[in-house]
């Protein structure tokens, strides 16, 4: 089924190929060119122009499926968005995660002082301590994450719309459930990458006594147990994956999966809203280019507006789950042999090195266990405002990220369909010339 078929409303015929992507894709029937062919034949084959040649891109576009188009456009959109918004993603993650292992107020938390405050303040601290590299910490996992995430998401989303369209006619319901299915598929497939990304972004560059952390530091061998007195200890994406697996097990890669799946409500709001708004603003569904004669400037302005409004709506409604997910992902799992260490990796209160901890603290237990319990702890210790920590920064990151992703996706889809149309025109012209030469 073609992309134009999947964009048609259930039970209706798809839009004509000539205008679906703003290109003249009507291919002339050989009978309509009979007089021209006859004249060319009478004048000899040499009288014809040189036949057009298909480029490598056109050859691929002709044979590629719409699923491949969606996967490629989504991957490029995610890749571009990740590079553009990585510094803001680092700042947002720092603000969200610091409450999980820092003293926020009045000494109620055992740890170190609050060091990140607001967008500019957090950026200043990162720049002073780590330089420009600190602002792009975790870029590797971001690229590794966004590429498959959006490739899977757009592919499954459009496939789901086709399948659900066979049984339902309500466009909003189809878009809603397609978003849920696509979000679940991409989340389960890429959760390990996002856990690594979150940990890399949350760690501090070196140990400072006034920023004492209870996260153990690892040694150089995969099987050695981490020692205390340093923040996190991951040097790269592969190093983080290796140490997480050897010290915490395979389950550490799926930390925060439950709230991440709960976060499917985000895409369930964002993309139905985007499709509705884009249709209202441009008259075209997602992935479709402007029609011939349509104002392209107004078309792209409509996409920009739909991207911004849908993302703001979705982020405002579902932001608290991101805070819960970040807390679950950034805490370390208890390590075998460290019975005297709490869930965050520190020596139990009331105990010193080499002595037994107080009764009742001898079992290593993570601080955050599950969505409901994490919600209760954050609410009790930090108040409801903690659920919106970093939301302003998140908006400043999420809105540009969504805008870049959707604009890039729509542009790449336009170019891919244009390349396919041009290739088919050349292909038909070659076939006609071959037919003439055989007469």
């Amino acid at each position: 089924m073609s992309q134009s078929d999947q964009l048609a409303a259930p039970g209706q015929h798809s839009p004509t190929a000539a205008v679906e992507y703003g290109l003249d894709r009507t291919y002339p029937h050989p009978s309509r060119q009979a007089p021209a062919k006859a004249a060319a034949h009478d004048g000899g084959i040499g009288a014809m122009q040189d036949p057009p040649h298909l480029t490598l891109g056109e050859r691929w576009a002709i044979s590629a499926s719409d699923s491949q188009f969606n996967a490629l456009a989504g991957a490029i959109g995610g890749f571009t968005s990740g590079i553009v918004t990585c510094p803001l993603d680092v700042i947002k993650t720092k603000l969200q995660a610091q409450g999980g292992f820092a003293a926020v107020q009045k000494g109620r938390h055992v740890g170190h002082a609050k060091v990140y405050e607001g967008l500019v303040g957090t950026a200043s601290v990162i720049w002073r301590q780590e330089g420009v590299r600190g602002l792009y910490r975790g870029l590797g996992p971001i690229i590794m994450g966004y590429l498959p995430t959006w490739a899977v998401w757009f592919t499954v989303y459009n496939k789901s719309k086709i399948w659900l369209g066979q049984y339902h006619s309500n466009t909003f319901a189809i878009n809603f459930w397609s978003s849920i299915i696509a979000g679940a598929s991409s989340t389960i497939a890429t959760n390990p990458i996002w856990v690594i990304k979150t940990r890399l972004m949350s760690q501090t560059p070196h140990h400072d006594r006034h920023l004492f952390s209870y996260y153990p530091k690892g040694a150089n061998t995969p099987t050695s147990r981490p020692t205390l007195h340093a923040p996190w200890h991951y040097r790269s994406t592969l190093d983080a994956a290796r140490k997480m697996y050897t010290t915490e097990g395979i389950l550490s890669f799926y930390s925060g999966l439950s709230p991440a799946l709960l976060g499917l409500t985000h895409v369930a709001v964002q993309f139905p809203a985007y499709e509705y708004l884009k249709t209202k603003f441009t008259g075209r569904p997602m992935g479709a280019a402007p029609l011939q004669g349509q104002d392209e400037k107004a078309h792209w302005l409509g996409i920009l507006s739909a991207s911004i409004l849908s993302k703001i709506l979705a982020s405002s409604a579902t932001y608290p789950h991101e805070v819960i997910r970040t807390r679950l992902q950034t805490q370390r799992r208890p390590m075998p042999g460290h019975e005297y260490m709490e869930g965050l990796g520190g020596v139990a209160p009331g105990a010193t090195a080499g002595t037994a901890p107080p009764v009742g603290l001898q079992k290593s237990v993570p601080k955050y266990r599950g969505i409901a319990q994490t919600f209760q702890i954050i609410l009790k210790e930090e108040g409801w405002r903690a659920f919106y920590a970093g939301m302003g920064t998140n908006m400043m990151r999420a809105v540009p990220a969504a805008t870049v992703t959707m604009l890039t996706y729509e542009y790449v889809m336009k170019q891919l369909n244009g390349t396919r149309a041009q290739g088919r025109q050349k292909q038909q012209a070659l076939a006609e010339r071959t037919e003439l030469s055989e007469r």
Side-chain angles (χ1 to χ4, degrees), residues 51-333:
H53 296 284
L54 290 173
T55 65
L56 183 63
E58 289 168 346
R59 291 177 184 274
W60 177 82
I62 291 172
S63 60
S65 65
D66 291 319
S67 294
Q68 290 174 298
F69 276 16
N70 281 303
L72 179 60
I76 294 175
F79 174 81
T80 306
S81 173
I83 293 178
V84 171
T85 63
C86 182
L88 288 172
D89 204 9
V90 173
I91 294 172
K92 182 206 72 169
T93 304
K94 295 278 192 182
L95 289 171
Q96 284 183 341
Q98 73 172 344
F101 54 87
V104 177
Q105 53 180 303
K106 297 182 180 178
R108 291 187 300 170
H109 299 266
V110 178
H112 52 69
K114 187 175 182 180
V115 294
Y116 303 120
E117 189 73 46
L119 173 63
V120 177
T122 304
S124 299
V125 172
I126 297 173
W127 180 270
R128 184 171 61 253
Q129 293 184 349
E130 306 175 61
V132 68
R133 293 184 62 182
L135 293 173
Y136 282 89
R137 184 181 296 277
L139 179 61
I142 281 182
I143 294 175
M144 291 173 58
Y146 275 133
L147 284 175
T149 294
W150 287 114
V152 171
W153 195 93
F154 280 108
T155 302
V156 176
Y157 179 70
N158 286 285
K159 283 286 188 180
S160 298
K161 288 202 298 183
I162 295 172
W163 182 76
L164 292 174
Q166 300 173 3
Y167 304 97
H168 303 280
S169 59
N170 188 309
T171 302
F172 181 82
I174 291 173
N175 293 339
F176 176 86
W177 287 110
S178 296
S179 297
I180 294 291
I181 296 171
S185 301
S186 61
T187 297
I188 293 172
T190 61
N191 195 78
I193 298 174
W194 295 118
V195 173
I196 294 174
K197 185 268 298 185
T198 303
R199 291 203 177 190
L200 284 172
M201 286 183 173
S202 300
Q203 67 183 359
T204 52
H206 54 78
H207 169 59
D208 293 320
R209 284 291 173 185
H210 67 283
L211 296 179
F212 182 81
S213 172
Y214 285 101
Y215 289 92
K217 178 180 180 180
N220 295 325
T221 59
T223 56
S224 62
R225 295 302 175 194
T227 57
L228 294 176
H229 308 307
W232 283 2
H233 51 281
Y234 307 130
R235 295 188 301 272
S236 65
T237 301
L238 293 178
D239 182 62
R242 175 177 61 86
K243 288 180 177 176
M244 286 171 60
Y245 179 76
T246 56
T247 61
E248 303 174 59
I250 191 68
L251 291 180
S252 64
F253 293 100
Y254 287 91
S255 299
L257 179 61
S258 296
L261 292 175
L262 182 64
L264 296 179
T265 53
H266 185 102
V267 293
V269 173
Q270 179 184 353
F271 284 92
Y274 172 80
E275 292 231 41
Y276 174 81
L277 291 171
K278 187 196 172 186
T279 303
K280 285 293 183 182
F281 294 157
T282 68
R284 308 292 289 147
M286 188 173 78
L291 299 173
Q292 281 186 326
Q294 187 176 0
D295 186 353
E296 284 217 17
K297 184 177 180 180
H299 176 82
W300 291 107
L301 183 60
I303 294 176
L304 177 65
S305 302
S307 301
I308 293 174
L309 293 175
S310 61
K311 189 63 178 181
I312 290 176
L313 177 63
S315 295
S316 300
T318 62
Y319 186 77
H321 96 272
E322 291 194 23
V323 175
I324 296 175
R325 179 179 61 187
T326 300
R327 297 292 179 88
L328 287 169
Q329 287 180 341
T330 55
Q331 77 170 349
R332 289 183 54 86
R333 286 180 162 270

